[in-house]
């Protein structure tokens, strides 16, 4: 095994314990979803050389491109500390608008530029580097470190984390705690650790009327009148006032369509779509029931409507503050001098899938430029993330050692 591994591992032109060099090398792999782009091959070479057992399962789904994913583990004992992330990136967009080659990983004035620099090759690079340094310095460390890296986070996310977690579970892998390295910080490395995420529910509302001549309204039934009444009812009272760790749930109407170009015609139908970002006071089912109740009340027996909710796998979840969350916040504070806020804001993330297997906390670089032209990350932030992750691993396994 050892000789085979050594023979298949090409020599790297840099030390992968250097978070900046590793991030640059990852950025140079054009891994736009669903392309692997060399990113997982690079991680495979890096971690194999450090003694990890590496797997690169490919997942398929009819009508969708196959996607390669990545799992690596060092150690055979519990506890298993998992570092999760994704190697894929969003497309470049308007390439002419970039002031630098999006796949060159250039550094200028302490800033590393490139697609994925902050979302999230910087996070992967810094965390892999930190784990490498930790094991090199502590070859007899207890427990195991694992990496769960998907190639399908920015795409449909069908052949990604959900299947990778299931694949690992079937193999008998059991995880104790997870750090997901998405860019969580709005402005500086001490801003926030995410301990949960809101859920997301999308509803499609249709109001049916009767088409007719504006001059003969008694022969028609204008659906816009009913739609206005229903939407007002959805907006009238807040869904809740927030919970201990979450802001209030929020409903936004995202589109309202009638598509009627004529000024003398009462249309037959009006359609609206709304999206709710909801906290841990709700499940998609209880929330849908509340929306249906409000619509029923407002409609009485005069508005004819249909409501349909799109299927969702975005439930709200919380990793309760406790020893693990405190350990992450302690590591951030020790390296940055400021205690980060424990937040549940923002969009959804793969943490919503991981939370079914083990407690998960999210922490990563500053996300200001994610998905933008000239995406970038500060070299100093990569170094800070490497130190924070290294410190976290040290305190995590030291705590286990004592126990
Ligand atoms: Zn991301």
């Amino acid at each position: 095994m050892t000789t085979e591994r050594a023979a298949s591992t090409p020599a790297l032109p840099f030390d992968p314990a250097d978070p900046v060099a590793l991030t640059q090398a990852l950025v140079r792999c054009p891994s736009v979803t669903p392309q692997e782009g060399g990113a997982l091959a690079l991680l495979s070479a890096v971690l194999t050389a450090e003694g990890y057992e590496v797997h690169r399962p490919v997942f398929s789904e009819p009508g969708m491109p196959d996607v390669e994913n990545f799992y690596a583990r060092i150690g055979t004992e519990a506890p298993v500390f998992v570092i999760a992330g994704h190697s894929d990136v969003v497309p470049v967009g308007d390439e002419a608008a970039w002031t630098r080659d999006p796949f060159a990983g250039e550094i200028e004035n302490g800033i590393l530029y490139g697609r994925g620099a902050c979302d999230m090759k910087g996070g992967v690079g810094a965390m892999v580097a930190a784990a490498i340094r930790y094991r090199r310095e502590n070859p007899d460390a207890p427990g195991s470190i694992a990496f769960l890296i998907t190639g399908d986070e920015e795409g449909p996310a069908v052949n990604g984390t959900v299947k990778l977690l299931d694949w690992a579970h079937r193999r008998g892998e059991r995880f104790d705690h997870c750090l997901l390295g998405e860019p969580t910080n709005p402005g500086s490395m001490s801003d926030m650790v995410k301990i949960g995420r809101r859920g997301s529910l999308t509803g499609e509302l249709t109001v049916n009327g009767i088409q007719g001549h504006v001059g003969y309204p008694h022969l028609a039934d204008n659906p816009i009148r009913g739609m206005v009444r229903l939407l007002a009812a959805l907006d009238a009272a807040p869904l809740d006032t927030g919970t201990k760790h979450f802001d209030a749930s929020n409903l936004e109407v995202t589109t309202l369509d009638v598509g009627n170009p004529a000024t003398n015609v009462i249309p037959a139908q009006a359609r609206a779509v709304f999206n709710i970002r909801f906290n841990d006071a709700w499940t998609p089912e209880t929330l849908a029931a509340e929306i249906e109740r409000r619509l029923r009340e407002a409609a009485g027996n005069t508005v004819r409507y249909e409501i349909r909710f799109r299927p969702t796998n975005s439930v709200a979840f919380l990793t309760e503050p406790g020893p693990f969350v405190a350990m992450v916040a302690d590591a951030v504070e020790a390296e940055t001098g400021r205690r980060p806020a424990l937040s549940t804001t923002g969009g959804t993330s793969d943490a919503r899938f991981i939370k079914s297997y083990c407690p998960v906390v999210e922490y990563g670089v500053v996300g200001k430029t994610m998905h933008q032209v000239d995406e970038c990350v500060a070299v100093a932030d990569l170094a800070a993330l490497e130190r924070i992750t290294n410190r976290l691993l040290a305190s995590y396994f030291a705590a286990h050692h004592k126990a």
Side-chain angles (χ1 to χ4, degrees):
M1 273 310 273
T2 322
T3 46
E4 194 185 319
R5 187 180 288 155
S8 64
T9 304
L12 290 165
F14 61 92
D15 180 4
D18 174 352
V20 179
L22 182 53
T23 300
Q24 277 183 303
L26 286 168
V27 167
R28 287 171 188 149
C29 303
S31 53
V32 177
T33 334
Q35 299 305 318
E36 181 272 333
L40 297 180
L42 173 64
L43 289 177
S44 177
V46 162
L47 290 173
T48 301
E50 299 293 327
Y52 282 73
E53 190 183 311
V54 172
H55 301 271
R56 293 164 67 180
V58 175
F59 300 129
S60 309
E61 195 68 39
M64 294 203 178
D66 289 358
V67 183
E68 187 170 338
N69 292 267
F70 182 91
Y71 181 70
R73 173 171 171 169
I74 191 165
T76 52
E77 311 273 295
V80 182
F81 187 103
V82 187
I83 294 173
H86 61 88
S87 59
D88 59 326
V89 296
V90 295
V92 165
D94 179 7
E95 189 153 3
W98 283 70
T99 62
R100 294 170 179 77
D101 179 343
F103 297 110
E106 284 171 49
I107 296 175
E108 204 178 301
N109 297 324
I111 307 291
L112 192 166
Y113 291 87
R115 175 55 84 221
C118 88
D119 184 10
M120 60 167 284
K121 288 176 170 175
V124 171
M127 288 178 176
V128 168
I132 289 174
R133 178 159 73 87
Y134 173 73
R135 289 295 293 213
R136 282 184 188 171
E137 291 173 359
N138 304 275
D140 303 320
S144 306
I145 299 174
F147 285 94
L148 199 65
I149 309 288
T150 174
D152 190 22
E153 200 273 344
E154 303 287 13
V158 167
N159 290 315
T161 297
V162 174
K163 289 187 178 178
L164 186 57
L165 284 163
D166 182 59
W167 172 89
H169 192 79
R170 281 165 199 267
R171 289 179 48 86
E173 299 289 326
R174 295 294 177 268
F175 306 137
D176 292 278
H177 292 89
C178 178
L179 178 66
L180 174 59
E182 287 282 4
T184 52
N185 282 300
S188 89
M189 291 302 285
S190 59
D191 287 341
M192 64 177 58
V193 168
K194 293 211 196 247
I195 57 167
R197 293 278 186 161
R198 294 179 295 181
S200 171
L201 181 68
T202 297
E204 299 170 349
L205 180 61
T206 306
V207 175
N208 295 303
I210 298 169
Q211 195 185 43
H213 195 300
V214 166
Y216 300 88
H218 55 287
L219 300 176
D221 174 17
N222 193 338
I224 297 174
R225 191 170 287 122
M227 178 61 87
V228 167
R229 197 200 295 177
L230 296 191
L231 291 181
L234 292 184
D235 224 22
L239 289 161
D240 56 66
T241 53
T243 63
K244 191 169 174 216
H245 295 286
F246 285 84
D247 292 337
S249 301
N250 181 57
L251 180 150
E252 291 295 328
V253 176
T254 51
T255 188
L256 179 51
D257 304 292
V258 177
N260 177 19
T263 57
N264 60 350
V265 175
I266 292 171
Q269 198 176 62
R271 266 178 249 118
V273 177
F274 57 89
N275 178 262
I276 305 172
R277 293 303 164 106
F278 59 93
N279 61 35
D280 58 346
W282 304 96
T283 65
E285 294 73 27
T286 61
L287 188 56
E290 169 63 12
I291 295 301
E292 281 166 357
R293 189 191 64 77
R294 290 186 181 198
L295 292 174
R296 217 166 32 239
E297 245 179 56
N301 40 30
T302 52
V303 182
R304 291 182 297 130
Y305 71 96
E306 288 153 41
I307 178 73
R308 189 184 149 264
F309 292 98
R310 292 190 193 165
T312 182
N313 53 23
S314 277
V315 295
F317 78 92
L318 176 74
T319 299
E320 282 287 348
F324 180 60
V325 171
M327 207 177 267
V328 178
D330 286 347
V332 175
E333 186 177 7
E335 294 293 342
T336 65
R338 260 180 70 208
R339 193 144 191 97
L342 304 180
S343 167
T344 56
T345 56
T348 65
S349 79
D350 276 357
R352 73 185 189 275
F353 305 125
I354 299 170
K355 69 104 171 74
S356 305
Y357 294 82
C358 70
V360 53
V361 166
E362 297 174 69
Y363 178 75
V365 297
V366 174
K368 249 185 241 170
T369 60
M370 52 187 170
H371 297 201
Q372 291 182 5
V373 159
D374 283 347
E375 181 176 347
C376 61
V377 65
V379 167
D381 289 356
L382 293 176
L385 183 57
E386 191 275 340
R387 289 195 309 275
I388 289 163
T389 309
N390 184 279
R391 182 180 282 272
L392 176 61
L393 291 170
S395 47
Y396 183 83
F397 290 110
H400 177 73
H401 212 42
K402 271 181 253 146

